[in-house]
Amino acid sequence: MLQTLIKNATLLTMCPQNGTRPFEGDILIEDGRIAAIGQNLAAQPSATLIDGHSRLVMPGLINAHTHSSETFFRGRYEAMPLEIWLLYAYPLLMGPVIDDRLLYLRSLLLAMDSLRNGVTTICDDFFDPPVHDLSRLSTVFKAYDDAGIRANVSSAAMNVHTLDALPFAREIMPRHLQEKLDFGPPMSAEAYVNYCRSAFSLLHGKAGRLNFMIAPSAPQRCTPDLLQACHALAVEMGVPLHTHILETKTQAVTGHQMYGKSLIGYMRDLGVLSRNTTIAHSVWVSESDMEMMGDAGCSVAHNAISNQKLGAGIAPIRHLMNAGVTIGLGTDGVSSNDTARIFDVMRVAGLIHSVSGPDFDQWIRADEILTMATIGGARSAMLENVTGSLDIGKAADLLILDLTTLSFTPLNDIAKHLVYAENGSSIETVMIAGRIVVQDGRLQTIDEAAILAEIRELIPAHLAAHGKLEARNAALHSTMAEIHRRATSTDIGMNRYTGGPGA
């Protein structure tokens, strides 16, 4: 039996009994799980001892929504709404797929960025068109296995033509450009489910910390039978149905134009809104949408930074919480955020909702933000029995932070320091399933310098090729801009922007 004993630390457990109330104590870890929490704990002579004096021990952070597909596009785009940005980050006029080595390095880079900044679990909505390929999905799993991170990984699906999932698109786009987007027959629900079953058989549960999740991209991008088949399989396997809903006003207009109802109402009527359903973004939801979401017991991954960078609006998080919706925090992809740091998302989420109105009793508070970043995120990933809090029997996924740094000096309220002052620089140790993966700011699982050097060597050619794809897709820019203009000019009876008409 392998034991680790952390002695005399300040503990922030996020468990039901203690929440964000810190207390002094010890943690005993046995074979990767938390065996005891208390004071004056003893361990066997061979145990590893960690002095917790002037140190904070807390659960690892959960990134409830990200996309490894974007990791090489850090710092590449700005001043683009989602519908335009997608043209360049996920080109409609596609080129060759990224090669296997770069695919591995791209995934590994996301894991490295996450681990160094205290994220122990990521939910990677991996998207790899034009086909679903188990060998390529296995490459992503291998990167996360090598890094030592915990992850839910998808192989995101859509089987509705892009132009049929956007309002006004067929009307606006010239016919000769539409013909360039003829992708052939769509994937069937049966084919995707068969692929997912193979992924579950081959990869689910790998290393005891890597899981496969079901990810229909969005309700308007998938046929009803695909959505229903995905949901049934997610329930059967006990994993999230991870999807994007109502990120932008354009998507709000889409639901009413295509289905005569909101996309949440459409999901509810299809029977695919449930405890298993995790919704990325949820910005343009109405009061009735939120009531349906709360009744269903679903979760939201709140991407406070990405929603701002892409101009999506401010999600009604307090209203969602009041409706009973579980909230986790996500970075979204590194292209629409430019970092994988959940500490950044925590700070922004703790600030931006204070401009939602003058009723300060409704502003989001630090203890609520910490809950979102830990156990709320774990629940959105359907991993709340595994991680997200320091509880006996759970995996020892935890952070040790130095409380003598500038971020905690002078020390007032630990929860508020973590949300408003800390940025991850105080982290000394990151542990996943009892294994130290970061120590004194250095990754212990891989040769970080060698990996970064290889990326710097290989990436210029890849980005040059991607630049050519961007130039090809620029032909579609004006169409997407006009779709955005028309949709955002449509009165839908609500506003999630901080300025402009109706604000």
Side-chain angles (χ1 to χ4, degrees):
M1 178 171 59
L2 296 176
Q3 286 190 332
T4 299
L5 180 60
I6 306 173
K7 294 283 292 182
N8 303 317
T10 300
L11 307 180
L12 187 74
T13 62
M14 302 306 299
C15 68
Q17 294 78 19
N18 297 298
T20 58
R21 180 184 62 83
F23 60 95
E24 304 301 310
D26 310 336
I27 296 183
L28 178 65
I29 299 164
E30 293 180 350
D31 295 332
R33 295 192 173 275
I34 298 171
I37 299 174
Q39 295 181 334
N40 302 315
L41 298 181
Q44 61 191 18
S46 61
T48 299
L49 297 180
I50 298 176
D51 182 6
H53 180 71
S54 298
R55 299 299 184 266
L56 173 69
V57 181
M58 64 175 288
L61 304 177
I62 314 292
N63 190 342
H65 179 69
T66 188
H67 300 279
S68 61
S69 318
E70 300 171 25
T71 309
F72 288 157
F73 300 149
R74 186 195 311 265
R76 193 168 180 90
Y77 307 113
E78 66 176 353
M80 294 180 181
L82 175 78
E83 287 75 26
I84 295 176
W85 168 82
L86 285 170
L87 274 181
Y88 301 105
Y90 295 89
L92 286 180
L93 297 172
M94 293 181 285
V97 297
I98 192 170
D99 70 45
D100 286 351
R101 183 59 183 172
L102 281 176
L103 175 62
Y104 173 83
L105 292 171
R106 186 176 71 181
S107 308
L108 190 59
L109 184 60
L110 175 62
M112 291 162 57
D113 195 2
S114 300
L115 290 171
R116 286 178 59 97
N117 290 287
V119 173
T120 55
T121 300
I122 59 174
C123 295
D124 178 10
D125 192 7
F126 172 59
F127 184 58
D128 189 42
V131 298
H132 295 275
D133 185 322
L134 278 174
S135 67
R136 290 177 63 79
L137 183 62
S138 298
T139 298
V140 177
F141 271 75
K142 178 173 173 26
Y144 295 151
D145 189 8
D146 291 348
I149 201 166
R150 190 179 303 280
N152 283 355
V153 186
S154 76
S155 185
M158 58 179 69
N159 68 341
V160 170
H161 194 288
T162 301
L163 299 183
D164 296 323
L166 286 166
F168 318 118
R170 293 291 187 186
E171 173 187 346
I172 296 170
M173 184 174 286
R175 175 59 57 185
H176 73 280
L177 291 179
Q178 293 190 38
E179 290 171 354
K180 291 185 177 182
L181 296 175
D182 183 4
F183 302 128
M187 173 183 61
S188 70
E190 181 182 13
Y192 182 64
V193 166
N194 287 340
Y195 171 82
C196 290
R197 288 195 181 279
S198 297
F200 278 118
S201 177
L202 179 67
L203 299 169
H204 191 61
K206 186 176 178 64
R209 52 184 164 76
L210 304 177
N211 293 316
F212 182 70
M213 66 181 181
I214 311 294
S217 176
Q220 73 276 16
R221 299 171 190 152
C222 299
T223 56
D225 64 328
L226 178 58
L227 288 169
Q228 291 169 326
C230 286
H231 184 261
L233 185 57
V235 171
E236 176 188 338
M237 299 303 298
V239 300
L241 177 100
H242 192 101
T243 189
H244 302 73
I245 307 182
L246 293 171
E247 180 176 359
T248 65
K249 188 175 181 181
T250 299
Q251 294 173 10
V253 171
T254 298
H256 290 284
Q257 278 212 357
M258 295 186 176
Y259 311 113
K261 63 189 75 171
S262 77
L263 292 175
I264 294 293
Y266 177 63
M267 292 278 286
R268 192 273 310 271
D269 291 349
L270 288 177
V272 297
L273 201 64
S274 75
R275 164 67 184 94
N276 293 71
T277 308
T278 294
I279 297 168
H281 303 291
S282 188
V283 176
W284 290 84
V285 285
S286 66
E287 292 293 337
S288 60
D289 288 336
M290 290 185 269
E291 182 178 352
M292 285 185 275
M293 294 160 70
D295 289 345
C298 64
S299 301
V300 162
H302 177 36
N303 301 276
I305 293 178
S306 173
N307 290 342
Q308 289 186 81
K309 187 176 184 188
L310 296 177
I314 301 176
I317 294 300
R318 174 61 70 193
H319 294 284
L320 285 161
M321 293 167 65
N322 291 344
V325 176
T326 296
I327 309 295
L329 295 181
T331 59
D332 212 354
V334 171
S335 176
S336 63
N337 184 314
D338 302 294
T339 174
R341 290 191 297 267
I342 285 293
F343 273 109
D344 290 356
V345 181
M346 289 164 60
R347 177 176 168 81
V348 170
L351 296 173
I352 193 170
H353 298 290
S354 299
V355 301
S356 59
D359 185 357
F360 50 85
D361 287 336
Q362 295 298 304
W363 296 355
I364 311 296
R365 303 187 182 273
D367 60 336
E368 295 171 314
I369 297 294
L370 276 175
T371 299
M372 297 174 194
T374 54
I375 191 62
R379 181 172 172 79
S380 75
M382 300 194 72
L383 293 173
E384 69 271 24
N385 294 325
V386 176
T387 190
S389 63
L390 304 182
D391 276 299
I392 294 172
K394 283 193 175 183
D397 295 357
L398 57 83
L399 313 179
I400 304 177
L401 291 88
D402 182 356
L403 290 176
T404 69
T405 63
L406 287 171
S407 296
F408 293 98
T409 304
L411 185 59
N412 286 289
D413 181 286
I414 283 178
K416 295 181 181 67
H417 280 275
L418 287 169
V419 171
Y420 299 117
E422 178 56 39
N423 61 6
S425 60
S426 301
I427 295 171
E428 287 187 339
T429 302
V430 178
M431 184 180 290
I432 298 177
R435 178 191 185 191
I436 293 176
V437 293
V438 176
Q439 183 70 58
D440 297 326
R442 296 180 62 86
L443 287 161
Q444 304 297 296
T445 51
I446 57 172
D447 185 340
E448 182 177 6
I451 292 296
L452 293 177
E454 185 179 2
I455 291 172
R456 287 192 294 269
E457 178 183 355
L458 296 178
I459 201 65
H462 170 69
L463 292 180
H466 187 76
K468 295 177 180 178
L469 282 180
E470 291 169 331
R472 287 182 62 204
N473 280 269
L476 310 176
H477 187 114
S478 61
T479 294
M480 295 304 173
E482 178 62 12
I483 290 171
H484 173 75
R485 187 196 67 78
R486 290 194 189 186
T488 53
S489 300
T490 301
D491 183 2
I492 59 172
M494 77 171 91
N495 179 58
R496 300 294 182 215
Y497 297 128
T498 59

